[in-house]
């Protein structure tokens, strides 16, 4: 019996989020070439960045996290049993390797995370990928959360400004 939580997700759901996040994936030899998977307010996100200005954070859809039975047993014995009290460990995975891996499989993926290691299992077998320390991923989420809205630009005006600048319209 596994003592680690297991993320269950359909290949298509993971592929959709990863493909969107890949638009901001860096290509350097550092953590910016990795996707960051992180739980925020009981929702799992895939984030990517290409410093200094580009960041994305895409919510995963259609996933389910199975927690170890020991925790479920304790919950049934009177502790709070809400899944809201559970979390899933943050981890990173090299972007290009993950994209290649999920293109090669179909169906349900089972993802487990242990210190420095991410194991992805499908009906075709399993693959172990390394994970860098997720705490060294650039702190985009906290910077975004602390940002102050100073102005609003109407989309039509922004479009007109871009057209004048690029002369594409």
């Amino acid at each position: 019996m596994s003592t680690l939580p297991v993320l269950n997700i359909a290949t298509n759901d993971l592929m959709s989020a990863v493909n969107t996040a890949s638009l901001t994936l860096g290509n350097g030899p550092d953590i910016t070439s990795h996707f960051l998977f992180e739980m925020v307010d009981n929702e799992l996100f895939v984030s990517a960045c290409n410093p200094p200005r580009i960041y994305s954070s895409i919510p995963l859809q259609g996933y389910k996290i199975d927690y170890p039975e020991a925790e479920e047993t304790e919950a049934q014995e009177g502790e709070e049993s809400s899944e809201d009290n559970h979390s899933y460990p943050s981890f990173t995975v090299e972007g290009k390797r993950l994209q290649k891996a999920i293109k090669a499989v179909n169906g349900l993926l089972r993802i487990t995370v242990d210190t420095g290691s991410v194991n992805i299992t499908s009906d075709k077998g399993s693959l172990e990928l390394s994970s860098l320390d997720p705490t060294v991923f650039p702190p985009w989420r906290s910077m975004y959360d602390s940002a102050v809205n100073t102005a609003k630009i109407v989309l039509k005006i922004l479009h007109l400004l871009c057209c004048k600048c690029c002369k594409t319209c």
Side-chain angles (χ1 to χ4, degrees):
M1 177 78 222
S2 174
T3 59
L4 302 171
V6 178
L7 169 64
N8 297 288
I9 188 166
T11 304
N12 290 339
D13 290 335
L14 181 58
M15 179 90 69
S16 176
V18 163
N19 284 345
T20 303
S22 71
L23 298 173
T24 62
L25 186 66
N27 58 4
D30 58 5
I31 198 163
T32 61
S33 65
H34 283 232
F35 290 114
L36 170 67
F37 287 75
E38 64 180 336
M39 184 74 77
V40 178
D41 296 330
N42 296 316
E43 189 171 9
L44 197 56
F45 288 84
V46 179
S47 300
C49 70
N50 192 355
R53 294 184 183 94
I54 302 174
Y55 165 75
S56 65
S57 187
I58 313 302
L60 278 176
Q61 303 294 317
Y63 69 90
K64 180 177 183 268
I65 299 174
D66 292 330
Y67 295 97
E69 253 183 52
E71 289 183 19
E72 291 174 9
T73 304
E74 290 173 9
Q76 291 173 356
E77 293 173 359
E79 293 185 14
E80 294 182 37
S81 61
S82 170
E83 280 196 10
D84 294 344
N85 294 328
H86 292 295
S87 66
Y88 193 75
S90 295
F91 65 95
T92 72
V93 176
E94 188 179 347
K96 295 199 184 311
R97 287 182 193 259
L98 179 62
Q99 287 178 301
K100 284 181 183 178
I102 58 180
K103 283 180 184 175
V105 295
N106 290 317
L108 182 68
L109 298 177
R110 292 169 300 284
I111 302 172
T112 55
V113 180
D114 203 357
T115 309
S117 175
V118 177
N119 191 305
I120 302 172
T121 305
S122 75
D123 291 339
K124 290 187 175 183
S126 68
L127 174 67
E128 187 172 336
L129 299 171
S130 61
S131 174
L132 298 177
D133 181 1
T135 62
V136 298
F137 193 82
W140 289 94
R141 186 171 302 281
S142 63
M143 290 188 307
Y144 179 79
D145 290 343
S146 65
V148 177
N149 188 358
T150 57
K152 290 186 179 183
I153 300 174
V154 178
L155 183 58
K156 231 178 205 181
I157 293 172
L158 182 61
H159 179 71
L160 290 173
L161 291 171
C162 288
C163 289
K164 285 182 182 180
C165 178
C166 301
K167 300 184 191 305
T168 58
C169 296

